[in-house]
Amino acid sequence: GQSLEQPSEVTAVEGAIVQINCTYQTSGFYGLSWYQQHDGGAPTFLSYNGLDGLEETGRFSSFLSRSDSYGYLLLQELQMKDSASYFCAVCMNRDDKIIFGKGTRLHILP
Amino acid sequence: EADIYQTPRYLVIGTGKKITLECSQTMGHDKMYWYQQDPGMELHLIHYSYGVNSTEKGDLSSESTVSRIRTEHFPLTLESARPSHTSQYLCASSEAKGGGVETQYFGPGTRLLVL
């Protein structure tokens, strides 16, 4: 079946850099997206990779390698407000259904 | 900024009651989705729609139904609420792009408690 795997939790220090990986066992998707969700809130869109390579948006960057079935979200200059859950997601090109990973809880230490 | 709304934001209801969760978006998006999410857990797709008069079941039907009579409106109905339905329900919408969905816009969610 289709699945995306992410670490359940990651801990980093304020000001540091952290990478959240997403590996997948699926094929036939348009691209890889990343969403952020704070406790009690709704997911919000962060980035999208339609093609292999690196996409940069401010402190956040995202990478996709279809040949390696792998992507990651890179967060730089971590701030306490970055403490949240991060979800990777793909859109299947056969039915446009969105499949989400189980999410990675990012803990940031002062 | 996304213009997608959900009501009610919070609902406490007894077992066996029929409830409808409302979702509306003013962005003219063709695609809309309903997800169920327990705190700190993954998102489960319940239903989705490609456009008016189009509805599909997701991976978790959760004994609910949806309708899409108007583009902007995508209500979710639980015919008989049970304690196992206690969860957060998130509505989302996206544009129907030729190259797939890049961005989903989520509503604020409805927190449901079934006693």
Side-chain angles (χ1 to χ4, degrees), chain A residues 30 33 35 37 40-45 48 87 91 95-98 100-102, chain B residues 31 35 37 41-43 45 48 50 59 90 99-104 106-107 111:
Chain A
Y30 288 112
S33 299
Y35 290 81
Q37 185 179 28
T44 56
F45 172 79
Y48 173 76
F87 294 86
C91 175
D95 56 11
D96 284 354
K97 184 188 292 188
I98 312 295
F100 281 84
K102 294 186 177 183
Chain B
K31 296 184 179 181
Y35 295 90
Q37 185 185 35
M41 303 298 285
E42 63 195 287
L43 290 141
L45 180 66
Y48 59 107
Y50 294 122
D59 300 321
L90 291 161
V101 173
E102 296 180 11
T103 306
Q104 282 193 311
F106 284 84
R111 291 186 181 274

Side-chain angles (χ1 to χ4, degrees), chain B residues 63-100:
Chain B
E63 300 153 340
S64 58
T65 59
V66 291
S67 63
R68 190 85 184 278
I69 299 173
R70 304 197 317 264
T71 297
E72 62 271 21
H73 196 212
F74 190 42
L76 174 77
T77 298
L78 288 171
E79 293 293 333
S80 179
R82 298 187 292 147
S84 61
H85 293 137
T86 295
S87 188
Q88 175 169 247
Y89 292 82
L90 291 161
C91 180
S93 72
S94 63
E95 292 181 271
K97 296 187 178 181

Side-chain angles (χ1 to χ4, degrees), chain A residues 47-102:
Chain A
S47 69
Y48 173 76
N49 291 76
L51 303 173
D52 283 7
L54 189 69
E55 293 285 339
E56 297 179 79
T57 308
R59 294 189 296 115
F60 295 174
S61 303
S62 58
F63 174 82
L64 174 64
S65 170
R66 291 177 189 264
S67 60
D68 295 323
S69 298
Y70 165 71
Y72 66 73
L73 178 70
L74 189 74
L75 296 85
Q76 303 182 71
E77 302 173 17
L78 284 172
Q79 301 175 10
M80 297 304 293
K81 67 178 182 180
D82 297 330
S83 293
S85 292
Y86 293 85
F87 294 86
C88 58
V90 296
C91 175
M92 306 306 297
N93 57 21
R94 70 171 184 273
D95 56 11
D96 284 354
K97 184 188 292 188
I98 312 295
I99 298 176
F100 281 84
K102 294 186 177 183

